[in-house]
Coordinates of all heavy atoms in Angstrom, one line a residue:
M4 N 7.8 183.7 -14.7 CA 7.9 183.5 -16.1 C 8.9 184.4 -16.7 O 9.1 185.5 -16.3 CB 6.5 183.7 -16.7 CG 5.5 182.6 -16.5 SD 6.1 181.0 -17.1 CE 4.6 180.1 -16.8
L5 N 9.6 183.8 -17.7 CA 10.6 184.6 -18.4 C 10.0 185.5 -19.4 O 9.0 185.1 -20.1 CB 11.7 183.7 -19.0 CG 12.6 182.9 -18.1 CD1 13.4 181.9 -18.9 CD2 13.5 183.8 -17.3
A6 N 10.6 186.6 -19.6 CA 10.1 187.5 -20.7 C 10.5 186.9 -22.0 O 11.5 186.2 -22.1 CB 10.7 188.9 -20.6
R7 N 9.8 187.2 -23.0 CA 10.1 186.7 -24.3 C 11.4 187.2 -24.8 O 11.6 188.4 -24.9 CB 8.9 187.1 -25.3 CG 8.9 186.3 -26.6 CD 7.9 186.8 -27.5 NE 7.7 186.0 -28.7 CZ 6.9 184.9 -28.7 NH1 6.2 184.7 -27.6 NH2 6.8 184.2 -29.7
E8 N 12.3 186.3 -25.1 CA 13.6 186.8 -25.6 C 13.6 187.0 -27.1 O 12.9 186.4 -27.8 CB 14.7 185.8 -25.2 CG 14.9 185.7 -23.7 CD 16.1 184.8 -23.4 OE1 17.2 185.0 -24.0 OE2 16.0 183.9 -22.7
S9 N 14.5 187.9 -27.5 CA 14.6 188.2 -28.9 C 16.1 188.0 -29.3 O 16.6 188.8 -30.1 CB 14.1 189.6 -29.2 OG 14.8 190.5 -28.5
A10 N 16.7 187.0 -28.7 CA 18.2 186.9 -28.9 C 18.5 186.2 -30.2 O 19.6 186.3 -30.7 CB 18.7 186.1 -27.7
S11 N 17.5 185.5 -30.7 CA 17.7 184.8 -32.0 C 18.0 185.7 -33.1 O 17.2 186.5 -33.4 CB 16.6 183.8 -32.3 OG 16.8 183.1 -33.4
L12 N 19.2 185.5 -33.7 CA 19.5 186.4 -34.8 C 19.0 185.9 -36.2 O 18.8 186.6 -37.1 CB 21.0 186.6 -34.9 CG 21.7 187.3 -33.7 CD1 23.2 187.3 -33.9 CD2 21.2 188.7 -33.6
T13 N 18.8 184.6 -36.2 CA 18.3 184.0 -37.5 C 17.0 183.4 -37.3 O 16.7 182.8 -36.2 CB 19.3 182.9 -37.9 OG1 19.5 182.0 -36.9 CG2 20.6 183.6 -38.3
E14 N 16.1 183.5 -38.3 CA 14.8 182.9 -38.2 C 14.9 181.4 -38.5 O 15.6 181.0 -39.4 CB 13.9 183.5 -39.2 CG 13.1 184.7 -38.7 CD 12.1 185.2 -39.7 OE1 11.3 184.4 -40.2 OE2 12.2 186.4 -40.1
A15 N 14.2 180.6 -37.7 CA 14.2 179.2 -38.0 C 13.4 178.9 -39.3 O 12.5 179.6 -39.6 CB 13.5 178.5 -36.9
V16 N 14.0 178.0 -40.0 CA 13.3 177.7 -41.3 C 12.6 176.3 -41.2 O 13.1 175.3 -40.7 CB 14.4 177.5 -42.4 CG1 13.8 177.2 -43.8 CG2 15.2 178.8 -42.5
T17 N 11.3 176.4 -41.5 CA 10.5 175.2 -41.4 C 10.5 174.4 -42.7 O 10.3 175.0 -43.8 CB 9.1 175.5 -41.1 OG1 9.0 176.2 -39.8 CG2 8.2 174.2 -40.9
V18 N 10.9 173.1 -42.6 CA 11.0 172.3 -43.9 C 10.1 171.1 -43.7 O 9.7 170.8 -42.6 CB 12.4 171.9 -44.1 CG1 13.3 173.1 -44.4 CG2 13.0 171.0 -43.0
S19 N 9.7 170.5 -44.8 CA 8.7 169.5 -44.8 C 9.4 168.1 -44.9 O 8.7 167.1 -44.9 CB 7.7 169.7 -45.9 OG 8.3 169.8 -47.1
S20 N 10.7 168.1 -45.1 CA 11.3 166.8 -45.2 C 12.8 166.9 -44.7 O 13.3 168.0 -44.7 CB 11.3 166.3 -46.7 OG 12.0 167.1 -47.5
T21 N 13.3 165.7 -44.4 CA 14.7 165.7 -43.9 C 15.4 164.6 -44.6 O 14.8 163.6 -44.9 CB 14.7 165.5 -42.4 OG1 16.1 165.5 -42.0 CG2 14.1 164.3 -41.9
P22 N 16.7 164.6 -44.9 CA 17.6 165.8 -44.6 C 17.3 167.0 -45.5 O 16.7 166.8 -46.5 CB 19.0 165.2 -44.8 CG 18.8 164.2 -45.9 CD 17.4 163.5 -45.5
V23 N 17.7 168.1 -44.9 CA 17.5 169.3 -45.7 C 18.9 169.8 -46.2 O 19.9 169.7 -45.5 CB 16.8 170.4 -44.8 CG1 17.6 170.7 -43.6 CG2 16.6 171.7 -45.7
A24 N 18.9 170.3 -47.4 CA 20.1 170.8 -47.9 C 20.2 172.3 -47.7 O 19.2 173.1 -47.8 CB 20.2 170.6 -49.5
C25 N 21.4 172.8 -47.2 CA 21.6 174.2 -47.0 C 22.9 174.6 -47.7 O 23.9 174.0 -47.5 CB 21.7 174.5 -45.5 SG 21.9 176.2 -45.1
D26 N 22.8 175.6 -48.5 CA 24.0 176.2 -49.1 C 24.1 177.7 -48.8 O 24.7 178.4 -49.6 CB 24.0 175.9 -50.6 CG 22.8 176.4 -51.3 OD1 22.0 177.1 -50.7 OD2 22.6 176.1 -52.5
G27 N 23.5 178.1 -47.7 CA 23.7 179.5 -47.3 C 22.6 180.4 -48.0 O 21.8 180.0 -48.7
D28 N 22.7 181.6 -47.6 CA 21.8 182.6 -48.1 C 22.5 183.2 -49.3 O 23.3 184.1 -49.2 CB 21.6 183.6 -47.0 CG 20.5 184.6 -47.4 OD1 20.1 184.6 -48.6 OD2 20.0 185.4 -46.6
V29 N 22.0 182.8 -50.5 CA 22.6 183.3 -51.7 C 22.3 184.8 -51.9 O 23.0 185.5 -52.7 CB 22.1 182.6 -53.0 CG1 22.5 181.1 -52.9 CG2 20.6 182.7 -53.1
A30 N 21.4 185.4 -51.2 CA 21.1 186.8 -51.3 C 22.0 187.7 -50.6 O 22.0 188.9 -50.7 CB 19.6 187.0 -50.9
S31 N 22.9 187.0 -49.8 CA 23.8 187.8 -49.0 C 25.2 187.2 -49.1 O 25.5 186.4 -50.1 CB 23.4 187.8 -47.5 OG 23.6 186.5 -47.0
D32 N 26.1 187.5 -48.2 CA 27.5 186.9 -48.3 C 27.6 185.6 -47.5 O 28.7 185.2 -47.2 CB 28.4 188.0 -47.7 CG 28.5 189.2 -48.5 OD1 28.2 189.2 -49.7 OD2 28.7 190.3 -47.9
L33 N 26.5 185.0 -47.2 CA 26.5 183.9 -46.3 C 26.5 182.5 -47.1 O 26.3 181.5 -46.5 CB 25.4 183.9 -45.3 CG 25.4 185.1 -44.4 CD1 24.1 185.1 -43.5 CD2 26.6 185.0 -43.5
G34 N 26.8 182.6 -48.4 CA 26.8 181.4 -49.1 C 27.9 180.4 -48.7 O 29.0 180.9 -48.2
H35 N 27.7 179.1 -48.8 CA 28.7 178.2 -48.4 C 28.4 176.9 -49.1 O 27.4 176.7 -49.7 CB 28.6 177.9 -46.9 CG 27.3 177.4 -46.4 ND1 26.9 176.1 -46.7 CD2 26.4 178.0 -45.6 CE1 25.7 176.0 -46.1 NE2 25.3 177.1 -45.4
P36 N 29.4 175.9 -49.1 CA 29.2 174.7 -49.8 C 27.9 174.0 -49.3 O 27.6 174.1 -48.1 CB 30.4 173.8 -49.4 CG 31.5 174.9 -49.1 CD 30.7 176.0 -48.5
R37 N 27.3 173.3 -50.2 CA 26.0 172.7 -49.7 C 26.2 171.5 -48.8 O 27.1 170.7 -48.9 CB 25.3 172.1 -51.0 CG 24.0 171.4 -50.6 CD 23.2 171.0 -51.8 NE 22.8 172.2 -52.6 CZ 22.0 172.2 -53.6 NH1 21.5 171.1 -54.0 NH2 21.6 173.3 -54.2
V38 N 25.5 171.5 -47.7 CA 25.5 170.5 -46.7 C 24.1 169.9 -46.5 O 23.1 170.6 -46.7 CB 26.1 171.0 -45.4 CG1 27.6 171.4 -45.5 CG2 25.3 172.2 -44.8
F39 N 24.1 168.7 -46.1 CA 22.8 168.1 -45.8 C 22.6 167.9 -44.2 O 23.5 167.4 -43.6 CB 22.6 166.8 -46.5 CG 22.5 166.9 -47.9 CD1 23.6 166.9 -48.8 CD2 21.2 167.0 -48.5 CE1 23.4 167.1 -50.1 CE2 21.0 167.2 -49.9 CZ 22.1 167.2 -50.7
L40 N 21.5 168.4 -43.7 CA 21.3 168.3 -42.3 C 20.2 167.4 -42.0 O 19.1 167.5 -42.5 CB 21.0 169.7 -41.8 CG 22.1 170.8 -42.1 CD1 21.5 172.2 -41.8 CD2 23.3 170.6 -41.3
D41 N 20.5 166.5 -41.1 CA 19.4 165.5 -40.7 C 18.7 166.1 -39.5 O 19.3 166.4 -38.5 CB 20.1 164.2 -40.3 CG 19.2 163.0 -40.6 OD1 18.2 163.2 -41.2 OD2 19.6 161.9 -40.3
I42 N 17.4 166.2 -39.6 CA 16.6 166.8 -38.5 C 15.9 165.7 -37.8 O 15.1 165.0 -38.4 CB 15.6 167.8 -39.1 CG1 16.3 168.8 -40.0 CG2 14.8 168.5 -37.9 CD1 15.3 169.8 -40.7
P43 N 16.1 165.6 -36.5 CA 15.4 164.6 -35.7 C 13.9 164.9 -35.6 O 13.6 166.1 -35.6 CB 16.1 164.6 -34.4 CG 16.7 166.0 -34.3 CD 17.1 166.4 -35.7
Q44 N 13.1 163.9 -35.6 CA 11.6 164.1 -35.5 C 11.3 165.0 -34.2 O 11.8 164.7 -33.1 CB 10.9 162.8 -35.3 CG 9.4 162.9 -35.6 CD 9.2 162.8 -37.1 OE1 9.9 162.1 -37.8 NE2 8.2 163.5 -37.6
G45 N 10.6 166.0 -34.5 CA 10.2 166.9 -33.4 C 11.4 167.8 -32.9 O 11.3 168.5 -31.9
G46 N 12.5 167.7 -33.6 CA 13.7 168.5 -33.2 C 14.1 169.6 -34.2 O 13.3 170.0 -35.0
S47 N 15.3 170.0 -34.1 CA 15.8 170.9 -35.1 C 17.3 170.7 -35.4 O 17.9 170.0 -34.6 CB 15.6 172.4 -34.5 OG 16.4 172.5 -33.4
A48 N 17.7 171.3 -36.4 CA 19.1 171.2 -36.8 C 19.7 172.6 -37.1 O 18.9 173.4 -37.7 CB 19.3 170.2 -38.0
V49 N 20.9 172.8 -36.7 CA 21.5 174.1 -37.0 C 22.7 173.9 -38.0 O 23.5 173.0 -37.8 CB 22.1 174.7 -35.7 CG1 22.7 176.0 -36.0 CG2 20.9 174.9 -34.7
C50 N 22.7 174.7 -39.0 CA 23.7 174.6 -40.0 C 25.0 175.1 -39.4 O 25.1 176.2 -38.9 CB 23.3 175.4 -41.3 SG 24.7 175.5 -42.5
P51 N 26.1 174.3 -39.5 CA 27.4 174.7 -39.0 C 28.0 175.8 -39.7 O 28.9 176.5 -39.2 CB 28.2 173.4 -39.1 CG 27.6 172.6 -40.2 CD 26.1 172.9 -40.2
Y52 N 27.6 176.1 -40.9 CA 28.2 177.2 -41.7 C 27.5 178.5 -41.4 O 28.2 179.5 -41.1 CB 28.1 176.8 -43.2 CG 29.0 175.8 -43.7 CD1 28.6 174.4 -43.8 CD2 30.3 176.0 -44.0 CE1 29.4 173.4 -44.2 CE2 31.2 175.0 -44.4 CZ 30.7 173.7 -44.5 OH 31.6 172.8 -44.9
C53 N 26.2 178.5 -41.6 CA 25.5 179.8 -41.5 C 24.6 179.9 -40.3 O 23.9 180.9 -40.1 CB 24.7 180.1 -42.8 SG 23.3 178.9 -43.0
S54 N 24.7 178.9 -39.4 CA 24.0 178.9 -38.1 C 22.5 179.1 -38.3 O 21.8 179.5 -37.3 CB 24.5 180.1 -37.2 OG 25.8 179.9 -36.9
R55 N 22.0 178.8 -39.5 CA 20.5 178.8 -39.6 C 19.9 177.6 -39.0 O 20.5 176.5 -39.1 CB 20.2 178.9 -41.1 CG 18.7 179.3 -41.4 CD 18.5 179.3 -42.9 NE 19.4 180.2 -43.6 CZ 19.2 180.5 -44.8 NH1 18.3 180.0 -45.6 NH2 20.1 181.3 -45.4
E56 N 18.8 177.8 -38.4 CA 18.1 176.7 -37.7 C 17.0 176.2 -38.6 O 16.2 176.9 -39.1 CB 17.5 177.1 -36.4 CG 16.9 176.0 -35.6 CD 16.4 176.4 -34.2 OE1 16.2 177.6 -34.0 OE2 16.2 175.5 -33.4
F57 N 16.9 174.8 -38.7 CA 15.9 174.2 -39.5 C 15.0 173.3 -38.5 O 15.6 172.6 -37.7 CB 16.5 173.3 -40.6 CG 17.2 174.1 -41.6 CD1 18.6 174.3 -41.5 CD2 16.6 174.6 -42.7 CE1 19.3 175.1 -42.4 CE2 17.2 175.3 -43.7 CZ 18.6 175.6 -43.5
V58 N 13.7 173.5 -38.7 CA 12.8 172.7 -37.9 C 11.9 171.9 -38.8 O 11.6 172.4 -39.9 CB 12.0 173.5 -36.9 CG1 12.9 174.2 -35.9 CG2 11.2 174.5 -37.7
L59 N 11.6 170.7 -38.4 CA 10.7 169.9 -39.2 C 9.3 170.2 -39.0 O 8.8 170.3 -37.9 CB 11.0 168.4 -38.8 CG 10.6 167.3 -39.9 CD1 11.3 167.6 -41.2 CD2 11.0 166.0 -39.3
A60 N 8.5 170.4 -40.1 CA 7.1 170.8 -40.0 C 6.3 169.6 -39.4 O 6.7 168.4 -39.5 CB 6.6 171.1 -41.4
E61 N 5.3 170.0 -38.7 CA 4.4 168.9 -38.1 C 3.9 168.0 -39.2 O 3.4 168.4 -40.2 CB 3.2 169.6 -37.4 CG 3.4 169.7 -35.9 CD 2.2 170.3 -35.2 OE1 1.2 169.5 -35.2 OE2 2.2 171.4 -34.8
G62 N 4.0 166.7 -38.9 CA 3.4 165.7 -39.8 C 4.3 165.5 -41.0 O 3.9 164.8 -41.9
A63 N 5.5 166.0 -41.0 CA 6.4 165.9 -42.1 C 7.0 164.4 -42.1 O 7.2 163.8 -41.0 CB 7.6 166.9 -42.0
S64 N 7.3 164.0 -43.2 CA 7.8 162.6 -43.3 C 9.3 162.7 -43.0 O 10.0 163.7 -43.2 CB 7.7 162.1 -44.8 OG 8.8 162.5 -45.5
S65 N 9.8 161.6 -42.4 CA 11.2 161.6 -42.1 C 12.0 160.9 -43.1 O 13.2 160.4 -42.9 CB 11.4 160.9 -40.7 OG 10.8 159.6 -40.8
G66 N 11.5 160.8 -44.3 CA 12.2 160.1 -45.4 C 12.1 158.6 -45.4 O 12.7 158.0 -46.2
Q67 N 11.3 158.1 -44.5 CA 11.2 156.6 -44.4 C 9.9 156.1 -45.0 O 9.8 154.9 -45.2 CB 11.3 156.2 -42.9 CG 12.6 156.5 -42.3 CD 12.6 156.1 -40.8 OE1 11.7 155.6 -40.3 NE2 13.7 156.5 -40.2
G68 N 9.0 157.0 -45.3 CA 7.8 156.6 -45.9 C 8.0 156.2 -47.4 O 9.2 156.2 -47.9
H69 N 7.0 155.9 -48.1 CA 7.2 155.4 -49.5 C 7.0 156.6 -50.4 O 7.4 157.6 -50.3 CB 6.3 154.3 -49.8 CG 4.8 154.7 -49.8 ND1 3.9 154.5 -50.8 CD2 4.2 155.3 -48.8 CE1 2.8 154.9 -50.4 NE2 2.9 155.4 -49.2
Ligands
ZN297 ZN1 23.8 176.9 -44.1

């Protein structure tokens, strides 16, 4: 078994719907133009600007519901 790694520099952000808008971390210098990231069901998406990872919460709608 592999030891638990702590290589991840950014915490994954759990969201309840997709696509998710990311415009960076306004509290730091990582702000960037707003982008929309489509998260596959059961998967995750990484923002190309700030490398933040977004994961879809369990049971979240994929935007296709009513
Ligand atoms: Zn971002």
Side-chain angles (χ1 to χ4, degrees):
M4 285 300 189
L5 292 172
R7 195 185 190 88
E8 289 188 54
S9 57
S11 183
L12 296 176
T13 54
E14 267 185 58
V16 181
T17 302
V18 297
S19 56
S20 64
T21 181
V23 59
C25 180
D26 56 6
D28 188 350
V29 294
S31 73
D32 297 330
L33 296 175
H35 62 67
R37 178 173 296 187
V38 293
F39 289 90
L40 305 169
D41 213 3
I42 307 173
Q44 196 84 34
S47 64
V49 178
C50 176
Y52 288 96
C53 62
S54 297
R55 195 179 304 187
E56 183 178 18
F57 294 91
V58 295
L59 203 55
E61 259 185 71
S64 88
S65 56
Q67 293 175 5
H69 62 128

